[in-house]
Amino acid sequence: MKKLYKILIALLLAITVCNTAQAVNETKTVGATGANYATLMAAFADINSGVLTGNVTLQIIDNTTETLSASLAASGTGNPGFIANYSSVTIYPTVSGKTIYGNLAEPLIFLYGADNVTIDGRLNRQGTTSDLTITNDTRQAIAFNRGAANNTIRYCTLKGSMQGTTTGGVIHFYTEYSGVGNNTNIIEYNNITSTTAGLTCNAIYSAGSAAVYNSGNIIRYNNIYNVWKSTLSSAFIKLDNYNSDWSFIGNSMYNTENLNAGATGGEGISAVGIVSNMTVNNNYIGGSAPQCGGTALTHASVGNVKFNGIFISSTGNNSVQGNTIKNISWTITGASQFTAISMLWGNFECGTVAGNIIGSSSGTGSIVFTAGSSGGSMTGIYIANIAVDQTVNCKNNVIGSITAANSNSLNGVTTRGIITWNTVLGNINISDNLIGSTDTPNSIFASSPATDASQKLHGIYSLGTGSNVISGNTISNLSSAQTTWNNGTTTGIQVDEGTNTISNNIINYLSNSTPSTRTPGNGSVASVTGIVVASAAAKVNTVTGNTIHNLTNSNASFSGYVVGISYEG
């Protein structure tokens, strides 16, 4: 019996070795008419069983309708005698305008541990035009699972609809609990959107686990549009916990029609929770066409629906460079927040190589945020929760052509170009930014009369308790339309905490129309002030080399204070 068992084992090993040794390159056609395989699912089944081996090429010659998920397993897996044995799989159309379609309650294309797969939507892999559409009416178009790595999806139109969930996307990176993550995949030059069956919450979604991170994936040069679902919080790109070293480069995120974001908000790029080392460079958020073109990305809804353009809560070292957020009209009936860029918890280089643009350096109304009750806020760059051993360099950014409004004239909107918040302990360097405009009046405009609220407008507002450098910034043409409330303020730079060096800034053309009679000092801020070092800042501060002029209060009955520098400490 033992001898028979050994013979059977030897035969099985021989079959497996033979299967491996006989791997040859294969080229096959896929399509409903005249092809080797009527569906991609059928072609993948033969790859999984070892019928197609080596470097496999699948040419799409006609449309396919997939009745089950086209699932591709890892090479080297399977049952004895039916082992997948491929080096790479390349898929592309040889006839223009073809579609891989399904209406499945599972991913249409499922890279289930598969490596070295390229789906190229260009005709014969040439040119720059997408000729392949991959559509799943009710779930993901493409999903990565079981350590799928080194795959590339390029020049395709990808459509999906993850109905009723915030933890999914048209492209979905699944959670792994053992083994390796879904790593080093590239998604580039695609059009990614919802299907006509219904809007999806997220275009791209990933979540790992404490044991296994999804890492090193690159999302670049895609057009991502029409995804925000009206009933749930939504994002163009969303990373949940346990992701690291992702890169988002050159993507355009926009909506071609007026869409309502979900119950709590709409986001551009969101990486939150336990994530690290993010690169977010040269992306565009806004408008109705690529690169923030066309008409404004328009949102109007009931309630407190926030907007976050780029929201990175990430440890490690993060880069946020050269992004553009503009051509947006965001209207709510409540009092939520509009924040263009948020950076929390890690080391950040923001604009140090290429400045980010929020709105524009000229003109007015590139971004219009309209709240509907008290408590709304408009922020260009938000920095928070930076630890004592962490550093944020925020430099060379442009924040302007912004109108913060309130549909109820009783209420104001708190408006800030750059703010550090929540007892920031680390080292913050805010330098060489343009906040407002050097040539356009009312570049940053708090437009509400705010007759029953305190409307505050700051160029830079720092509550960082660590070491802060605020240097070489230009803050110009900031104005508030507040008319009656006594506590409204327009301030160039204000620091309330920490050890601060405030040097060589240019602050001019700040205005307010409040009748405020507030006396500077003891924590009180005048109606218009160039620089405020408030009473909470008990440490020694350096204020030197700044140029401040043209500060104005235009209220006809004004009898209060306009101050160049107010210093306590």
Side-chain angles (χ1 to χ4, degrees):
M1 194 68 184
K2 287 183 178 179
K3 184 178 289 185
L4 178 61
Y5 179 76
K6 290 179 179 180
I7 293 171
L8 289 173
I9 293 295
L11 285 172
L12 290 174
L13 289 173
I15 291 170
T16 301
V17 171
C18 183
N19 192 359
T20 302
Q22 291 178 353
V24 295
N25 297 336
E26 304 270 9
T27 298
K28 298 294 182 181
T29 57
V30 178
T33 304
N36 299 120
Y37 297 95
T39 64
L40 188 63
M41 173 189 68
F44 279 5
D46 270 2
I47 297 174
N48 292 335
S49 63
V51 174
L52 300 180
T53 62
N55 295 306
V56 179
T57 299
L58 300 178
Q59 298 174 334
I60 308 299
I61 65 170
D62 196 9
N63 300 328
T64 78
T65 298
E66 309 293 327
T67 57
L68 293 172
S69 177
S71 180
L72 183 63
S75 186
T77 63
N79 298 315
F82 300 95
I83 303 294
N85 181 28
Y86 62 90
S87 300
S88 67
V89 176
T90 302
I91 304 167
Y92 64 91
T94 58
V95 180
S96 63
K98 296 307 171 187
T99 298
I100 299 172
Y101 171 79
N103 186 4
L104 309 177
E106 56 187 340
L108 181 65
I109 296 177
F110 207 175
L111 300 183
Y112 198 76
D115 299 339
N116 304 317
V117 177
T118 298
I119 303 177
D120 191 329
R122 297 174 298 170
L123 184 64
N124 295 314
R125 292 182 290 175
Q126 297 178 350
T128 58
T129 301
S130 170
D131 272 300
L132 181 64
T133 299
I134 300 171
T135 300
N136 187 355
D137 268 345
T138 53
R139 299 294 283 182
Q140 306 101 321
I142 296 177
F144 300 83
N145 199 3
R146 297 298 176 122
N150 302 319
N151 303 293
T152 300
I153 314 298
R154 61 164 61 106
Y155 291 103
C156 296
T157 296
L158 305 168
K159 298 181 179 182
S161 183
M162 288 292 289
Q163 301 276 348
T165 178
T166 61
T167 56
V170 178
I171 299 174
H172 191 149
F173 294 80
Y174 271 86
T175 303
E176 309 299 336
Y177 297 97
S178 63
V180 296
N182 302 298
N183 301 334
T184 59
N185 299 286
I186 298 174
I187 311 297
E188 62 182 4
Y189 301 105
N190 301 286
N191 298 310
I192 307 171
T193 187
S194 300
T195 68
T196 56
L199 296 174
T200 189
C201 288
N202 310 302
I204 297 171
Y205 177 84
S206 174
S209 71
V212 182
Y213 281 52
N214 290 333
S215 300
N217 297 294
I218 299 173
I219 312 297
R220 62 190 180 193
Y221 309 120
N222 302 284
N223 295 326
I224 306 173
Y225 56 96
N226 293 359
V227 295
W228 287 338
K229 190 172 178 64
S230 62
T231 55
L232 296 168
S233 183
S234 301
F236 289 109
I237 299 170
K238 183 176 182 180
L239 303 190
D240 270 340
N241 286 324
Y242 308 116
N243 290 277
S244 68
D245 299 280
W246 285 63
S247 296
F248 306 100
I249 301 170
N251 302 286
S252 288
M253 288 155 273
Y254 56 93
N255 285 331
T256 64
E257 54 190 275
N258 297 350
L259 298 177
N260 289 341
T264 58
E267 297 180 317
I269 297 173
S270 176
V272 299
I274 303 173
V275 297
S276 62
N277 301 331
M278 296 293 133
T279 298
V280 184
N281 294 350
N282 304 316
N283 299 282
Y284 297 86
I285 302 173
S288 60
Q291 299 186 2
C292 297
T295 57
L297 185 158
T298 301
H299 165 88
S301 69
V302 175
N304 298 325
V305 182
K306 68 183 179 182
F307 174 90
N308 282 306
I310 297 170
F311 190 97
I312 308 294
S313 177
S314 171
T315 59
N317 300 311
N318 306 282
S319 174
V320 182
Q321 311 280 352
N323 301 285
T324 299
I325 302 172
K326 67 177 184 178
N327 200 10
I328 300 171
S329 175
W330 194 270
T331 302
I332 57 176
T333 61
S336 194
Q337 296 81 41
F338 185 110
T339 307
I341 297 175
S342 296
M343 299 179 292
L344 294 80
W345 297 110
N347 297 303
F348 285 90
E349 297 293 318
C350 177
T352 52
V353 176
N356 301 284
I357 298 174
I358 300 168
S360 176
S361 62
S362 61
T364 59
S366 175
I367 297 175
V368 178
F369 170 65
T370 304
S373 62
S374 62
S377 67
M378 166 74 212
T379 303
I381 297 175
Y382 176 84
I383 304 166
N385 302 329
I386 306 303
V388 67
D389 60 344
Q390 294 173 333
T391 299
V392 174
N393 290 308
C394 180
K395 305 178 71 174
N396 306 312
N397 303 290
V398 173
I399 304 170
S401 189
I402 293 170
T403 298
N406 201 304
S407 59
N408 186 338
S409 63
L410 295 174
N411 303 311
V413 175
T414 298
T415 304
R416 284 147 179 165
I418 299 173
I419 182 171
T420 67
W421 190 259
N422 198 19
T423 61
V424 178
L425 296 170
N427 302 304
I428 311 297
N429 184 344
I430 301 173
S431 300
D432 303 318
N433 302 284
L434 172 60
I435 302 173
S437 172
T438 58
D439 55 18
T440 303
N442 300 322
S443 174
I444 299 181
F445 184 35
S447 66
S448 176
T451 58
D452 194 34
S454 178
Q455 181 162 269
K456 299 184 183 300
L457 172 60
H458 291 88
I460 298 171
Y461 186 31
S462 175
L463 289 94
T465 57
S467 176
N468 307 302
V469 174
I470 302 174
S471 170
N473 302 285
T474 297
I475 302 171
S476 183
N477 283 299
L478 278 59
S479 62
S480 172
Q482 185 154 37
T483 57
T484 59
W485 192 259
N486 192 45
N487 291 332
T489 59
T490 300
T491 308
I493 297 171
Q494 180 172 338
V495 296
D496 285 359
E497 301 284 353
T499 300
N500 302 279
T501 299
I502 305 171
S503 63
N504 302 317
N505 301 284
I506 298 173
I507 302 170
N508 54 32
Y509 299 101
L510 309 185
S511 66
N512 206 329
S513 53
T514 175
S516 173
T517 58
R518 296 177 68 184
T519 302
N522 298 319
S524 178
V525 178
S527 68
V528 182
T529 312
I531 296 174
V532 176
V533 181
S535 59
K539 299 177 181 179
V540 174
N541 295 277
T542 301
V543 182
T544 182
N546 302 285
T547 301
I548 303 169
H549 61 87
N550 286 80
L551 311 183
T552 304
N553 186 303
S554 61
N555 190 289
S557 60
F558 176 67
S559 58
Y561 292 84
V562 171
V563 179
I565 298 174
S566 175
Y567 185 96
E568 302 172 54

